[in-house]
Amino acid sequence: MTTAPHSIRQPNLSIVKQSADTAAEAVEGTVVEHQGEIAKTNSAARLAERAKGHALDNKLYAPWAARGYRNLGQRWLEAYRDDHPQMIASAKAERKAAKGDTAAEAGAHDLVQSRRAGYRRHKLIYLGKTAGWSAAGTAGAAVGAVTGGLWVDLAMAIAAYTTGIYHGRPGADGESNAALPPSESAAGSDGLIVTGDNGHQIERRPTRPQGEEDLVTVLIKAGIVTEAQRDETRLTSPIRTNGPGWTATIELPPGMKASAATGKAADIASALRVKKTRIELKADTSDEGHEGQFVLWVADQDNPYGTGKKPSQLIEAERWNFWRDGVPLGGDARGMREVLHLMWSSLMVGGLQDYGKSYLARLIAAAAALDPHMRIVLITGKAGPDWAPLKGIAHAYIAGSSPDRLAAVHDILDETISDMQDRGERLERLFEEDPAACPEGKVTPEMARQPGSELTLVIVDELQELLDAAALTKVKVGDEEEGGGRGRSGKDVLVEKFARFVRVARYVGGMGVFITQRPDSDSVPTKLRDVCVKRGCFRVKGAGSSRMVLGDDAVAAGAAPHLLGEASKGVVVLEQGADEGHVTLKTDVIDLPDFKAICERGRDLREEAGTLTGAAVRHGERASEAAESVALRRDCLHVFDAAKAERMRPETLTTWLKERRPEVYADLTPESLKSMLRAAGAGSPVPLGAMDGLVNPRGYKRESMIRSGRP
């Protein structure tokens, strides 16, 4: 083969044959001698070369074989468990939820025992089958090794090796690759090399690791473990589908706590090449878990909670048992429903504006409204329609942050705290007389249904507005004699009263819900947050704000409202203050018209039970008086229309009203009509001009009745 000593017009590597007519004369030194051989490259040799290269690139498939036997082990372990631990855990959850209901709790306990017995039977049967097959395989291999020669031993080794390769090939782990797109499920052993449609290999990380090795690599890239700790990091359960996503339980190297991973959701998201909104991390609090084990869940979509609204079941409920049934809140990303049980605790809620705080509080208020044995105290720093429906049932209703409203807040808190202390003293006397009546030293469901002992829910909305306004005031405390006492910051006193209510009310049926819009040290005082056992946080802008609302421990355990995105409307991270830790869910919705209807049902229930108290009674009286005033002016307007008159003397108007509705106005007189119309806003009689033979009598004009409108 020679090269041309001068330039030529054809491409140097052209293998296109030219026709005889157009063929250029061969130039000395041009590459022409082996063109036909290039076009006729032996395909068998090419395939052999590619196979050799593929084997060398994959280290003679040794990683595939190792992964194959690991996959077989994981499949054996999964079949050995056969979902029994999960079923036992579900039964335990049912037993825990049934606490207080003797019959249901006994049934749930029997279910736990039954499922444990079933698990034991399954393990014995499965171990027996495994032992039988293992013995048969071992015996066959031993006979072959003893009686056969070198070729038999070699064939057995090759068979064992290829079995591992087959079960460890990319895409062979079944469920862990089920959600990958075709291009990604074809990735190599490290999950990074992808063959595209055009046959070219490109680098891309699949959204779901292909096995334990891949997931440990993710943890290394996220900075949770080091390469040296790879062999000490393992999966206690295989990667599996869980709702609209996948999950895995990971055991960290000895000496590492789960908190080393649960606080690094964003780092794991980066290593997986997904958005942080798809990641959920929690310490493994199951019976099989321990301090160095955590659960990772990764959603298939960037917003696994969706954008639609789910109406609350409370909208259709006729009544509710707040103590027994709690508050149905909503569902998590996997579709599991969550219920908030607020008894024996209080709740602090924070987050950015317009992400759902009021909707969450409204769910709690609606559940309380439908229980006639709940007393509600509503305090909000801003006047508006959000809480107006509660006026008809709330024992106290204060809206606004002006000085007079702040004074009313102090008064109602003093009154409520005093009431809680009185209940505690009654509980103490009851225990001394009959210890069996309150065996745990706390109020019982039977006590909570007695008049004056109803459960009490204090809702405080727009907490930041109340505290900002209170910071501008001074409250006199100490000696109240003239010249005595001292002034303290109204904000400090208000925070102390809120916290004191939570402390003294816990065991006598008192609960608080505090909602703030601006989660910082000013609007979420630590003194108040720390006494609230339960805490909820909607979207915030940083981990510091998350810690401000939920606390350091919750954020370290994986609670991450700061990872929620702009599309996360209605999504709350709820720290439940118990072993189950936090849960992220999307709350149900009750719009204002539905809330108004719920509160109207709640008022009817309280009137029937005789538990309507305080401001709700006065509001009802005012509403009744207003309704009577509107009805009177409407009836007068009917009279004017029927008489086709624009003016009418009180005597004439009285006669017409008595004739029109004798059952209502039988005892009506002109003087009493004047008084009633004055109270109804129609004013006093005015000069009418000459009529009925009189020069200028006084009476009413039709226009004074129009403000009531027509029926």
Side-chain angles (χ1 to χ4, degrees):
M1 180 184 298
T2 59
T3 57
H6 54 277
S7 61
I8 60 176
R9 295 181 180 179
Q10 298 180 16
N12 290 351
L13 296 180
S14 173
I15 61 174
V16 179
K17 292 187 177 182
Q18 299 188 9
S19 66
D21 297 334
T22 59
E25 183 178 354
V27 180
E28 183 181 355
T30 304
V31 182
V32 294
E33 184 177 353
H34 303 295
Q35 285 186 1
E37 294 181 16
I38 295 175
K40 298 177 181 178
T41 301
N42 188 289
S43 60
R46 183 174 57 191
L47 290 174
E49 186 67 25
R50 289 180 61 185
K52 177 182 176 182
H54 191 272
L56 292 175
D57 288 342
N58 288 280
K59 302 177 182 178
L60 299 179
Y61 307 112
W64 291 18
R67 186 166 62 247
Y69 280 103
R70 183 173 65 245
N71 289 344
L72 288 172
Q74 289 176 342
R75 292 171 194 166
W76 182 91
L77 183 61
E78 187 174 356
Y80 175 73
R81 292 173 174 171
D82 195 31
D83 294 331
H84 281 279
Q86 180 180 342
M87 292 188 291
I88 293 172
S90 298
K92 286 183 177 180
E94 291 183 18
R95 182 174 63 183
K96 185 176 181 180
K99 185 177 181 181
D101 188 336
T102 306
E105 193 170 2
H109 180 72
D110 291 342
L111 180 60
V112 172
Q113 298 302 318
S114 173
R115 290 185 174 176
R116 282 176 172 166
Y119 191 19
R120 288 193 292 269
R121 287 194 301 272
H122 170 75
K123 289 191 291 186
L124 288 173
I125 294 172
Y126 194 76
L127 286 173
K129 290 181 179 180
T130 301
W133 283 108
S134 298
T138 303
V143 171
V146 172
T147 61
L150 176 62
W151 291 107
V152 174
D153 294 342
L154 185 59
M156 292 172 56
I158 292 174
Y161 192 60
T162 54
T163 298
I165 292 173
Y166 178 78
H167 289 285
R169 71 193 190 282
D173 49 353
E175 190 176 48
S176 66
N177 283 318
L180 289 180
S183 61
E184 291 185 352
S185 61
S189 62
D190 61 0
L192 291 175
I193 304 302
V194 180
T195 301
D197 295 338
N198 58 3
H200 294 293
Q201 289 186 327
I202 57 176
E203 186 172 359
R204 185 187 304 168
R205 175 166 295 281
T207 57
R208 179 184 300 202
Q210 296 186 29
E212 180 173 317
E213 185 178 348
D214 273 2
L215 191 50
V216 174
T217 299
V218 168
L219 300 182
I220 293 172
K221 290 183 178 296
I224 296 172
V225 297
T226 64
E227 184 65 45
Q229 295 172 309
R230 178 185 288 275
D231 293 339
E232 295 181 301
T233 308
R234 69 185 189 91
L235 272 61
T236 61
S237 65
I239 300 172
R240 64 188 185 279
T241 297
N242 185 353
W246 58 270
T247 188
T249 303
I250 303 163
E251 185 179 60
L252 295 172
M256 287 189 68
K257 296 180 180 179
S259 57
T262 52
K264 294 190 173 183
D267 299 299
I268 291 179
S270 176
L272 284 170
R273 292 296 185 262
V274 299
K275 289 187 177 180
K276 60 188 179 182
T277 53
R278 296 169 63 172
I279 304 294
E280 278 190 15
L281 293 170
K282 291 183 68 173
D284 186 2
T285 57
S286 67
D287 292 343
E288 294 78 17
H290 57 76
E291 295 302 317
Q293 200 161 293
F294 72 97
V295 179
L296 166 68
W297 184 79
V298 182
D300 291 333
Q301 299 178 356
D302 293 339
N303 184 13
Y305 303 96
T307 57
K309 293 183 178 181
K310 181 177 177 56
S312 171
Q313 67 185 94
L314 295 170
I315 295 174
E316 302 297 331
E318 291 299 322
R319 62 187 301 143
W320 200 257
N321 188 318
F322 192 92
W323 185 314
R324 183 191 65 200
D325 300 328
V327 183
L329 288 184
D332 65 13
R334 288 164 289 282
M336 300 295 293
R337 299 289 298 171
E338 293 291 336
V339 175
L340 171 68
H341 289 278
L342 203 56
M343 283 299 301
W344 322 123
S345 60
S346 290
L347 172 69
M348 169 72 74
V349 182
L352 295 177
Q353 187 175 7
D354 296 330
Y355 277 88
K357 299 182 300 299
S358 294
Y359 277 102
L360 172 60
R362 194 179 295 162
L363 290 169
I364 299 171
L370 291 172
D371 188 335
H373 300 285
M374 289 287 297
R375 176 177 290 183
I376 300 174
V377 173
L378 188 283
I379 302 170
T380 175
K382 290 181 182 178
D386 281 354
W387 297 107
L390 281 178
K391 290 181 179 180
I393 58 175
H395 176 75
Y397 184 98
I398 304 170
S401 55
S402 59
D404 61 317
R405 300 301 170 88
L406 287 174
V409 171
H410 284 287
D411 290 343
I412 193 61
L413 286 175
D414 291 340
E415 175 189 318
T416 307
I417 290 171
S418 177
D419 180 48
M420 296 295 106
Q421 291 178 319
D422 289 344
R423 295 186 190 189
E425 293 174 0
R426 294 201 302 269
L427 199 62
E428 180 181 349
R429 291 194 298 269
L430 177 63
F431 178 79
E432 292 173 347
E433 298 169 0
D434 183 11
C438 49
E440 298 182 5
K442 299 184 290 186
V443 66
T444 64
E446 293 74 23
M447 294 179 193
R449 292 184 173 272
Q450 297 174 2
S453 298
E454 297 88 357
L455 301 181
T456 299
L457 175 67
V458 175
I459 301 173
V460 181
D461 195 9
E462 303 290 354
L463 176 63
Q464 78 284 347
E465 294 296 329
L466 291 168
L467 298 184
D468 286 349
L472 303 176
T473 65
K474 292 287 186 180
V475 175
K476 193 174 184 179
V477 296
D479 187 2
E480 295 297 334
E481 295 294 332
E482 185 176 353
R486 58 189 178 87
R488 290 188 59 203
S489 166
K491 175 182 176 180
D492 293 342
V493 175
L494 196 57
V495 170
E496 289 175 4
K497 287 184 178 180
F498 284 143
R500 190 181 178 208
F501 162 76
V502 173
R503 291 195 301 269
V504 303
R506 182 178 179 190
Y507 292 116
V508 292
M511 297 154 278
V513 176
F514 304 91
I515 307 106
T516 183
Q517 215 177 75
R518 195 180 61 239
D520 55 30
S521 57
D522 291 329
S523 60
V524 186
T526 304
K527 183 179 293 186
L528 176 57
R529 184 202 65 190
D530 287 349
V531 296
C532 293
V533 176
K534 299 181 185 294
R535 301 158 193 171
C537 189
F538 289 80
R539 185 188 179 220
V540 290
K541 290 186 176 179
S545 294
S546 295
R547 286 190 288 269
M548 188 60 63
V549 179
L550 300 178
D552 294 341
D553 292 340
V555 175
H562 52 284
L563 298 186
L564 297 174
E566 292 185 6
S568 303
K569 297 281 187 178
V571 179
V572 63
V573 180
L574 182 66
E575 168 60 31
Q576 303 180 79
D579 291 341
E580 58 264 34
H582 69 276
V583 61
T584 304
L585 57 95
K586 185 167 185 176
T587 59
D588 296 337
V589 171
I590 300 177
D591 289 323
L592 272 176
D594 291 323
F595 186 49
K596 183 176 185 295
I598 288 172
C599 292
E600 289 172 352
R601 292 202 298 275
R603 182 178 179 87
D604 293 340
L605 292 170
R606 283 164 174 75
E607 289 178 342
E608 181 182 345
T611 55
L612 200 65
T613 59
V617 175
R618 296 189 294 274
H619 176 76
E621 293 172 349
R622 291 192 298 270
S624 178
E625 293 172 357
E628 291 176 359
S629 296
V630 171
L632 174 60
R633 289 163 58 187
R634 186 170 58 236
D635 288 343
C636 290
L637 186 59
H638 278 301
V639 169
F640 276 100
D641 291 343
K644 297 181 180 180
E646 293 294 328
R647 308 171 292 164
M648 197 170 289
R649 295 168 54 217
E651 294 79 6
T652 308
L653 185 56
T654 300
T655 302
W656 275 83
L657 287 171
K658 294 174 72 172
E659 292 179 356
R660 180 176 177 79
R661 300 187 65 187
E663 74 282 3
V664 176
Y665 301 112
D667 299 327
L668 188 65
T669 65
E671 292 304 318
S672 63
L673 176 61
K674 293 178 186 178
S675 177
M676 292 169 63
L677 285 174
R678 189 179 301 111
S684 300
V686 297
L688 300 178
M691 64 178 301
D692 296 340
L694 300 174
V695 177
N696 192 20
R698 300 178 72 83
Y700 297 93
K701 295 182 178 180
R702 182 180 181 279
E703 62 186 24
S704 62
M705 309 297 170
I706 294 178
R707 279 176 292 173
S708 65
R710 293 186 178 274

